[in-house]
Every structure is written in structure tokens, then in C-alpha cells.
Amino acid sequence: MNAREFGLVMTELTNNVDLAIHVIDKEGKSIVYNENMALVEKIKREDVLGKYFPSVFTNINLEDSTLWQALKNQVSTIDVQQTYLNAYGKEVTTLNSTYPVVNEAGHTIAAFEISRDITDIKDLSETILTLQNEKLPVSKVKKQGIKHYTFDDIKGDNREFKAVINRAKRAAKTDASVFIFGETGTGKELMAQSIHYGSERAEKPFLAQNCAAIPEALLEGMLFGTAKGGFTGAIDRAGMFEQANGGTLLLDEISAMPFVLQSKLLRVLQENYIRRVGGSKDIPIDVRIIATVNEDPQKLMEEGKLRPDLYYRLNIVGLDIPPLRERKDDIINLAEFFMEKHNKRFKKELWMLSENVEEKLKKYDYPGNVRELENIIMSAVSLAEKEHVLTDNMIQFSKRTDLREREAGFDCKETSLDEYLENIEINIIREMLSECNGNVSKTAELLSLKRQTLQHKLKKYGIG
């Protein structure tokens, strides 16, 4: 294979992987700049390929360029956030991993960079921080009718559930950290807000952050703030700890927080001060932490997703919210409450549940818990016409139920095995995609698939 053929193979390879790749040779010329990288940096490939790197990226200080430093100084970097101007002067924010290519003699012969575009995420995180910084005092929030939750909003008479509520009410009278475990849809944030608004901190800020929703490089800055010069494009900005000072910070899905960041959080809890990313000044803070997970904490610690020392530091007051399938005695009361609630919203006049509906609701296992039950009732109410009784033909359960029925009822006379299995795969993908709010990367992770493989299946099945 000659050099031209090898170059053609490399071009095809890099254009068909789900990565943004830029390679420069020892002279500093771009020899690989794939289509994904062109999309990330918003530059035409022909304006980069074969060109001398510094002559194209004139807006970048070479001392700040991880790719150039990899080439000249053999410096590797992993998941470094950079905000810079592309060749056309447009601001781009990426998460970069960069590596030198060194031959047997120890000489650098090339350097390559793998990037991920996080411009939109960065802009969103800055918008969130700005809005939170401008957040109205609680007194004004109440007057303007902005919704927050208290213990009066928590419904349930199940004995175990009421014991959890009573424990939470006692926790509200203290300043202790709270660790809440509950499956998706059990009402963890509802419980967290109730604790805050039932405490002496009620007039101070309540901020919440889902740790799984933001990349590591941005999450640290969002929590602790940034100091100018801390990384490329960084500005002085207060983080959520400073914004929540005197109040409560809810860290949802804390097990999704990287281990390194978990250790920094532990230090904050122990010392009651934070240091902005890239800063040197210690800033005292007074923030109550409420953390949540949707999996068994012991299992998360065994899997290395949750630091034991952080867990025990947060679990001063532990709350274990039972799933709805263990609160069967609450299902009908909750369903009636949701029916009344959404009657008002949709201007309907459903007065009662039929006996068949009650039986059907009690038999279902609710993988989405109380949130799923509310969605089921809300859907039925919204589609009702002039009915006064909610009947079983108005109830639509999750596709999981249909899937289980199909699994139990395969008939080779009606369909081929391939078609049958394909239908199951389609429904599983749709269900997981829905649970992940359309996030392809997270769906692929849950399904243990490569993102590219999942994208192929989405295209194949026409799932959008």
C-alpha cells in the first residue's frame, strides 16, 4: 500500500467514526481533519487540510493550544475544556483530549486531538448560573406564584412512607446533610424541597443540579465557580455554592459525579469553604447539602461509582423512599388526587374511577413510580370528552407492559422470529430513549451499545 492509498484509507476511517479528529504532522501541517471536526469547529475542511496549523488558527495563542503543545512538547491532555475563536472568528467551546505520536527514537512525528463540541452545553450552563444569580427572593417568588413544594404537597398514607416523611420533617429542623435514595419518579426532589422550605433556611436560596446532566469539565465550574485565567476562556463567575449561600443545594444523581470531583466536594463539606476553578482564594460558604441517588448506595459504592467517605459524610440523615409497587395502598388515593388535579387543568369532569380501572391500577408495577402514575392519569384525563367515569379503556400503560405480553405470547404462525425480535428491539430502544429524554449517548450507555451502533439502529428503524 503506497502513501496515497494509505491516506485514502485514513480519510475514510476517520470520516466514519463517531469522533472529531485533527492530526498534524511534525511540520505542523494538518494531515487529517475529519468531517466531524469540521462540524465541531465550524470550519471548511479544505481551509485546514494541508495548511500550516498556526496560519489557519490565527486566533489561538500557541501556548494555549493543546494540539500544538502536544506536537512541540510531547504534552498529553485528557478532557480539557477550551473556549476559542475558530478560523472565522466564531467562538467555540470543546472538550479535548490530545496526544503526541512519538517514534522509537523518541522524536515527535505527529500529534492528534479528539474533540467534543460542548458550546451549547457551556452556553446553557452559563445561562443557568446567570438566571440563578438573578433569582428572586423567596418572598417575591411566593407572591408571583412560582411553584415550590412543601410537606403538604406529599401525598400518601402508607405506613412505611409516612415514617419516611416524619423522618424528613425532623431533618428539616436540623442543619444536617441529607442523603435520599429512591427510584426514578418516587419524588426525591419533592422531598428535598419540602425539607428546605420546612427549615430555617426557607427564605434563602434552594438550588438543584443534576450531576449526570453536565460534563465533568463544566460541572466543576458550575458548582465551585471559575476564576479568570483558570482555563482557556474562563471568566470570574460565582458557582452554585456561592449562589446558594445560606440556603440548600440539591445534588441529584450524585453518583454520576466523577470521583475526583467527589473528593473536592468532601473537602468542601469538611472545611466549609470553596475555591473557584483556577483561583487561589478560599471563599467561606454556609450551604446545606441534600444528595440523591436512584440506585442502592451500597451497590454504587461496590461498583466504584460513589465514594464511601463522601456517602457517610452526607448520610447524616438517610431517607429511603419506597417505590410505588411497595405502596399499593396509596395507588387509588393518588390516582384520585391526580384526576382531580388534571380535571382543573384540562377543564374536564371526571368524578370517579371504575372498579376495573382500580383493579388495573393496583396490578401494575409502576417502573416509573408516582411520576408514571400521574402521567397515566393525566393522559386519560386530557383525552376524556364528556365522560364522568374514568374507565379501563381510557388507561394506557407503558410499552413495557405490551412488551411483556408479546414476550409471553410469541406465535410462530403469526410472525417470523426475526420480525418478532426486531419489534422487541424497537420498543426497548424507544422506551430507553424516552426515559433518557432523547439523549442518544445516555441511551447507548444504558443499552451497553456504542453510540454509533445506536445511531445506526435509530436510522434503520426510523426512530426519531
Side-chain angles (χ1 to χ4, degrees):
M1 182 183 294
N2 59 35
R4 183 178 176 281
E5 291 172 333
F6 181 75
L8 181 61
V9 170
M10 287 300 297
T11 299
E12 287 299 311
L13 174 63
T14 57
N15 282 335
N16 284 281
V17 295
D18 189 28
L19 296 169
I21 301 172
H22 188 179
V23 183
I24 56 176
D25 65 15
K26 62 182 179 181
E27 305 299 332
K29 290 184 178 180
S30 297
I31 56 175
V32 175
Y33 191 80
N34 73 349
E35 293 174 358
N36 283 331
M37 183 62 85
L39 289 171
V40 166
E41 295 193 316
K42 301 170 179 63
I43 303 176
K44 295 178 181 178
R45 293 181 68 216
E46 56 267 28
D47 290 344
V48 178
L49 281 171
K51 308 287 178 59
Y52 185 50
F53 179 84
S55 68
V56 175
F57 296 90
T58 56
N59 294 311
I60 298 177
N61 186 332
L62 293 181
E63 292 183 0
D64 294 332
S65 169
T66 49
L67 185 56
W68 193 255
Q69 291 304 310
L71 181 70
K72 296 301 180 183
N73 299 315
Q74 295 188 2
V75 177
S76 297
T77 55
I78 299 176
D79 286 346
V80 172
Q81 179 185 329
Q82 291 187 302
T83 299
Y84 55 95
L85 300 179
N86 68 9
Y88 311 140
K90 182 176 178 61
E91 186 177 281
V92 178
T93 300
T94 55
L95 207 58
N96 299 331
S97 293
T98 316
Y99 308 90
V101 180
V102 182
N103 64 13
E104 293 179 354
H107 302 303
T108 305
I109 59 173
F112 68 95
E113 187 159 75
I114 301 171
S115 297
R116 184 154 63 97
D117 184 7
I118 58 171
T119 304
D120 292 342
I121 298 174
K122 181 234 182 191
D123 291 344
L124 177 61
S125 67
E126 290 187 350
T127 300
I128 291 170
L129 286 173
T130 300
L131 290 173
Q132 287 173 338
N133 207 30
E134 297 172 353
K135 197 169 183 179
L136 292 170
V138 172
S139 57
K140 291 186 179 180
V141 169
K142 289 178 180 177
K143 287 179 182 178
Q144 295 189 13
I146 298 174
K147 183 65 177 176
H148 68 266
Y149 296 98
T150 69
F151 287 112
D152 291 336
D153 296 300
I154 301 178
K155 308 299 178 183
D157 294 317
N158 174 267
R159 185 174 64 180
E160 290 185 13
F161 185 62
K162 289 184 76 171
V164 175
I165 295 173
N166 289 334
R167 185 173 174 81
K169 287 180 177 178
R170 292 197 299 273
K173 298 176 182 178
T174 76
D175 254 354
S177 299
V178 179
F179 195 96
I180 304 175
F181 162 52
E183 295 178 7
T184 299
T186 50
K188 296 185 292 295
E189 180 163 353
L190 180 66
M191 192 74 72
Q193 283 202 34
S194 298
I195 292 170
H196 170 76
Y197 290 112
S199 74
E200 293 183 355
R201 296 176 180 264
E203 296 298 319
K204 298 295 184 179
F206 175 89
L207 300 184
Q209 177 58 52
N210 186 314
C211 298
I214 303 292
E216 175 182 353
L218 292 181
L219 181 59
E220 183 176 3
M222 286 192 69
L223 292 177
F224 303 122
T226 57
K228 189 174 183 179
F231 55 86
T232 308
I235 61 174
D236 283 316
R237 184 185 295 277
M240 298 181 78
F241 271 97
E242 290 178 71
Q243 293 178 3
N245 200 34
T248 303
L249 178 58
L250 169 62
L251 297 176
D252 192 21
E253 294 190 61
I254 195 169
S255 58
M257 181 183 289
F259 244 51
V260 174
L261 206 49
Q262 289 186 29
S263 66
K264 292 183 179 180
L265 174 60
L266 178 62
R267 189 181 69 244
V268 170
L269 292 169
Q270 292 170 338
E271 300 175 359
N272 293 319
Y273 70 80
I274 59 101
R275 184 176 294 176
R276 292 182 180 180
V277 177
S280 56
K281 179 183 176 184
D282 292 335
I283 303 171
I285 50 98
D286 171 25
V287 177
R288 181 186 200 170
I289 300 296
I290 300 179
T292 75
V293 294
N294 53 25
E295 295 182 63
D296 183 353
Q298 295 297 328
K299 177 172 174 284
L300 291 170
M301 287 188 285
E302 290 170 5
E303 293 176 348
K305 296 178 181 178
L306 179 64
R307 288 182 64 108
D309 48 3
L310 177 61
Y311 168 68
Y312 293 121
R313 180 63 182 79
L314 289 169
N315 193 40
I316 307 301
V317 177
L319 300 176
D320 187 346
I321 304 177
L324 189 54
R325 63 181 174 275
E326 295 177 8
R327 298 170 51 196
K328 294 287 188 180
D329 46 337
D330 277 339
I331 289 175
I332 301 306
N333 287 339
L334 283 168
E336 290 175 342
F337 170 76
F338 293 137
M339 183 172 65
E340 182 179 349
K341 172 183 174 181
H342 295 294
N343 266 338
K344 295 176 182 177
R345 176 183 176 184
F346 297 111
K347 296 180 173 56
K348 305 291 183 176
E349 295 184 357
L350 286 164
W351 299 334
M352 61 183 293
L353 307 173
S354 72
E355 290 185 7
N356 287 341
V357 163
E358 290 190 5
E359 185 178 350
K360 197 171 183 179
L361 290 174
K362 288 178 181 178
K363 286 183 177 179
Y364 187 56
D365 62 359
Y366 300 97
N369 291 290
V370 178
R371 183 186 297 130
E372 183 177 8
L373 173 59
E374 178 168 12
N375 288 341
I376 290 168
I377 299 300
M378 179 169 61
S379 174
V381 173
S382 68
L383 295 176
E385 294 181 343
K386 296 182 179 180
E387 298 93 341
H388 297 308
V389 178
L390 198 156
T391 56
D392 58 351
N393 65 312
M394 300 166 70
I395 293 291
Q396 182 67 50
F397 287 117
S398 161
K399 289 185 174 65
R400 291 182 191 222
T401 305
D402 299 333
L403 181 57
R404 282 195 295 269
E405 289 173 355
R406 282 196 295 274
E407 288 172 342
F410 171 62
D411 188 344
C412 61
K413 295 178 182 179
E414 295 183 1
T415 182
S416 69
L417 180 60
D418 286 343
E419 184 180 354
Y420 175 73
L421 294 175
E422 186 175 280
N423 287 334
I424 291 177
E425 183 176 46
I426 289 170
N427 279 286
I428 290 174
I429 291 173
R430 280 178 173 160
E431 179 187 335
M432 292 298 104
L433 193 65
S434 176
E435 287 191 8
C436 296
N437 296 317
N439 186 312
V440 175
S441 297
K442 193 170 182 180
T443 303
E445 184 180 346
L446 284 176
L447 293 172
S448 299
L449 293 175
K450 290 183 179 179
R451 189 174 188 275
Q452 188 177 5
T453 302
L454 179 57
Q455 286 180 319
H456 171 74
K457 290 180 181 291
L458 293 175
K459 185 176 180 180
K460 175 184 174 182
Y461 297 137
I463 301 173

